[in-house]
Amino acid sequence: MSRILTRSVPDAAHRALVDEGLSPLMARLYAARGIGTACELDYTLRALIPFGYLKNIGPMACRLADAVEKGERILVVADYDADGATACAVAVKGLGMLGARVDFIVPNRFEYGYGLTPEIVELAAQAHPDLILTVDNGIASVAGVDAARARGIEVLITDHHLPGDLLPDALIVNPNQPGCDFPSKCLAGVGVMFYVLMALRAEQRSRGTYRERPEPNLGELLDYVALGTVADVVRLDQNNRILVENGLKRMRAGRMAPGIAALFQVAGRAPHKANTFDLGFTLGPRLNAAGRLDDMSLGIACLLATSDTQAEALAQELDRLNRERRSIEQGMQDEALAVLSTFDPADRYTLSLYRDDWHQGVVGIVASRLKERFHRPAIVFAPGDCGEIKGSGRSIPGFHLRDALDLVSKRHPGLIQKFGGHAMAAGLTLAEVAFQDFQQAFERVARELLDARALTRTIETDGSLPGRELHLALAETLAGEVWGQGFPPPCFHDVFDVISQRVVGGKHLKLRLAREGAEFDAMLFNQSDWLPDRIDAVYQVVANEWQGRKELQLYLQHWTAC
């Protein structure tokens, strides 16, 4: 069951936006997403929040500037997802542009686990670095930082994850650490690293580094920043939309890195039409496939490739891994649904599943699929090492997953060996024998924090779209905006007559719909069963391009019979 709600539109914000020159419809859409003034739609780089608001960024910039001047060896330790990979690429390429001696390692998730662990420090020490710089990890690496200090290696941490009760003994730049006044708390790891580079360049400027040579253009890194930001599904507030929009502009203009261009090519997407869907659903999964099934070093190598030939070969391998990942995912999902068919998921507030033959690299995706299907917090586990199992969870609005795990951990000391994450996604490790105890404890916490209303899927729409507004120009206008997490693309809710329908591609419906005397082409994906003659539909307005022609098309998101 789903309930459909129309987003509220604050009258004052709507009037202000209209007074500033926006059309009444666009003013309505923006006001419903929290925009109160047109200046919040300024996506020029000068509108970025200044880096000085980030706690410790000045001292970190000074330390890195000293390292550049002394020729010290900097070793980047990255995370193994798309955010970590792009953050690593930004760090390696950006620091190199600014004169640093820099290299990287990325943990193999199956051998070393997540973050700067003592084992990773031991591996890093073989490269004899003067500095370890973490990207997209480190805020929870207390033991790893201590191990590095014991070896005489200094650690600098750049991260965006939520901190635990104890912080590592290191210089940290993280908008979510205590005492940080940076207004945007949803920077991705790649965004944090980009900010550190801006601060480093400013520090070098103040030292006279660029008196006799031009400053490096850090804007060349924004294609990486855009990809990592969207792929990590962080909230697209204005600051993140600025970063993403400027990265997309580079892609559309053909000024992206060879590795990103190659990812567009293997995905069959046109970079001159690049949008957030491309980054989140075509490029991001291919990059993530390396970390899920193999080694993210492959993905980082693709991002850092300097020739088209090298990039194309690496992107082809990433595409192959992604196809393998999809096959594994489908098998695990089928097995999970078979387990769930033995009871009514509606009787449960959470879904926690484990099998000893599931793949550790794909559990997060399967958890996401189950969460979407049943609208329940879902955690899927696979075998780890030495009697451990490792889980990845996804949550629903109103249920902070990391906080829920923290509550379980406090009530049952020792049950969870380690955990971390965000409101909507988290990871954890248990002893295999503790799975059922965790399953019950997690369910009890959810029953305290959730109610039946929260467990009913809500579809938010922008209400009815007047027939006079339903045209190609609107679709093209909407296509030019940076929609995504926390800033959802507009969808509307109206009644249509179904004039004709046919199955295409064996599993999709191509439709001709009518409303207010006009007819429209529409698509309903992943459904081949015939629709009734009249439907109440939630839909998006799309500028569909086919064989050089652009046409208005409606994408149905949800429907019921009238």
Side-chain angles (χ1 to χ4, degrees):
M1 289 291 292
S2 300
R3 66 176 182 272
I4 298 175
L5 296 179
T6 301
R7 294 184 179 93
S8 61
V9 180
D11 290 338
H14 183 262
R15 287 195 303 270
L17 292 170
V18 171
D19 289 345
E20 291 183 271
L22 274 72
S23 71
L25 175 59
M26 293 306 298
R28 168 184 141 198
L29 298 178
Y30 284 128
R33 286 157 180 78
I35 302 298
T37 174
C39 68
E40 295 175 68
L41 302 172
D42 180 1
Y43 296 159
T44 59
L45 290 173
R46 66 174 176 268
L48 279 174
I49 299 168
F51 59 74
Y53 285 99
L54 281 163
K55 181 179 179 179
N56 294 331
I57 200 165
M60 186 174 286
C62 287
R63 182 64 188 91
L64 288 170
D66 291 344
V68 173
E69 290 176 358
K70 296 174 184 177
E72 292 180 315
R73 294 171 59 89
I74 301 172
L75 185 67
V76 176
V77 176
D79 188 14
Y80 42 67
D81 65 0
D83 185 19
T86 52
C88 184
V90 165
V92 171
K93 188 171 180 179
L95 287 169
M97 292 163 62
L98 297 173
R101 297 176 63 196
V102 59
D103 202 350
F104 76 91
I105 60 172
V106 58
N108 183 301
R109 74 194 301 162
F110 308 111
E111 295 180 36
Y112 295 101
Y114 170 77
L116 184 69
T117 61
E119 293 78 13
I120 284 297
V121 170
E122 184 177 349
L123 180 65
Q126 298 174 19
H128 306 292
D130 299 293
L131 273 176
I132 287 176
L133 174 68
T134 72
V135 292
D136 193 34
N137 75 94
I139 195 66
S141 300
V142 175
V145 169
D146 289 346
R149 289 169 64 87
R151 289 177 172 270
I153 304 172
E154 186 178 354
V155 178
L156 304 180
I157 291 173
T158 72
D159 201 352
H160 71 124
H161 293 93
L162 297 175
D165 296 332
L166 183 63
L167 294 179
D169 186 10
L171 196 59
I172 301 170
V173 173
N174 179 337
N176 290 299
Q177 69 176 310
C180 184
D181 296 327
F182 195 75
S184 171
K185 301 301 183 184
C186 40
L187 268 180
V190 66
V192 176
M193 189 61 228
F194 183 72
Y195 263 82
V196 169
L197 292 176
M198 288 194 290
L200 171 56
R201 186 180 62 180
E203 174 63 24
Q204 290 180 321
R205 184 187 302 134
S206 71
R207 297 184 182 194
T209 302
Y210 302 111
R211 287 196 188 110
E212 297 181 0
R213 62 185 177 94
E215 292 186 0
N217 178 14
L218 297 179
E220 294 175 7
L221 305 172
L222 285 168
D223 48 348
Y224 297 134
V225 179
L227 174 55
T229 298
V230 174
D232 209 44
V233 203
V234 293
R235 182 173 174 268
L236 294 188
D237 62 0
Q238 183 187 5
N239 207 63
N240 278 338
R241 294 199 304 276
I242 292 170
L243 295 171
V244 172
E245 171 63 14
N246 282 276
L248 287 171
K249 282 182 178 178
R250 292 192 65 83
M251 297 175 197
R252 293 167 187 152
R255 293 186 288 122
M256 74 210 92
I260 290 182
L263 287 172
F264 270 103
Q265 182 179 349
V266 298
R269 306 293 291 185
H272 73 274
K273 299 187 293 184
N275 56 35
T276 51
F277 179 89
D278 294 322
L279 305 187
F281 293 95
T282 57
L283 274 65
R286 285 167 173 80
L287 189 56
N288 270 322
R292 294 188 186 283
L293 299 188
D294 194 341
D295 188 324
M296 187 47 93
S297 296
L298 177 69
I300 296 170
C302 180
L303 293 174
L304 292 174
T306 55
S307 73
D308 293 342
T309 301
Q310 180 190 24
E312 288 166 8
L314 291 165
Q316 289 287 352
E317 177 61 13
L318 291 174
D319 188 59
R320 184 194 67 77
L321 286 172
N322 191 53
R323 291 195 300 273
E324 181 182 345
R325 184 271 304 168
R326 284 201 298 258
S327 176
I328 295 171
E329 173 199 337
Q330 187 60 57
M332 287 174 58
Q333 187 174 334
D334 291 344
E335 291 165 353
L337 292 174
V339 172
L340 293 174
S341 69
T342 62
F343 65 93
D344 185 0
D347 293 336
R348 298 188 61 86
Y349 280 48
T350 63
L351 303 174
S352 300
L353 298 173
Y354 165 65
R355 275 184 50 149
D356 61 10
D357 59 350
W358 279 351
H359 196 292
Q360 190 185 123
V362 186
V363 288
I365 301 177
V366 177
S368 180
R369 299 287 187 263
L370 295 177
K371 182 264 296 186
E372 290 296 328
R373 184 180 183 114
F374 297 105
H375 198 68
R376 299 287 189 277
I379 303 180
V380 177
F381 292 85
D385 298 322
C386 303
E388 294 178 346
I389 60 175
K390 296 186 177 182
S392 184
R394 299 295 183 268
S395 194
I396 60 176
F399 187 75
H400 194 298
L401 186 53
R402 184 196 173 279
D403 286 356
L405 294 176
D406 186 50
L407 191 54
V408 171
S409 181
K410 285 181 168 63
R411 290 181 178 177
H412 305 274
L415 179 60
I416 302 178
Q417 295 180 3
K418 55 186 175 181
F419 68 94
H422 304 289
M424 303 303 287
L428 68 159
T429 301
L430 310 172
E432 183 178 16
V433 295
F435 170 69
Q436 289 187 342
D437 289 340
F438 169 79
Q439 192 179 42
Q440 294 167 8
F442 186 52
E443 176 74 11
R444 285 195 295 270
V445 166
R447 286 182 178 272
E448 293 175 18
L449 300 178
L450 291 169
D451 56 25
R453 185 174 180 83
L455 295 173
T456 301
R457 187 188 313 276
T458 298
I459 301 174
E460 285 192 310
T461 82
D462 294 286
S464 176
L465 181 62
R468 64 181 181 278
E469 301 276 11
L470 196 48
H471 47 62
L472 180 60
L474 172 63
E476 291 179 315
T477 298
L478 296 180
E481 181 54 270
V482 182
W483 310 107
Q485 181 70 22
F487 200 70
C491 62
F492 305 97
H493 181 203
D494 287 297
V495 173
F496 293 90
D497 293 315
V498 179
I499 304 302
S500 65
Q501 52 189 315
R502 61 187 174 91
V503 177
V504 295
K507 59 179 181 178
H508 311 301
L509 279 182
K510 185 172 179 58
L511 306 156
R512 189 72 174 168
L513 305 179
R515 173 173 168 247
E516 297 181 7
E519 294 187 6
F520 309 95
D521 286 330
M523 290 293 301
L524 177 56
F525 294 103
N526 298 310
Q527 177 175 323
S528 56
D529 294 335
W530 241 234
L531 298 189
D533 293 339
R534 192 168 173 81
I535 58 172
D536 189 351
V538 175
Y539 61 98
Q540 289 182 308
V541 181
V542 178
N544 184 55
E545 190 168 342
W546 175 251
Q547 295 183 339
R549 294 179 56 196
K550 276 189 180 180
E551 296 179 341
L552 174 69
Q553 196 166 67
L554 311 183
Y555 284 0
L556 301 192
Q557 309 293 310
H558 176 81
W559 67 271
T560 56
C562 287

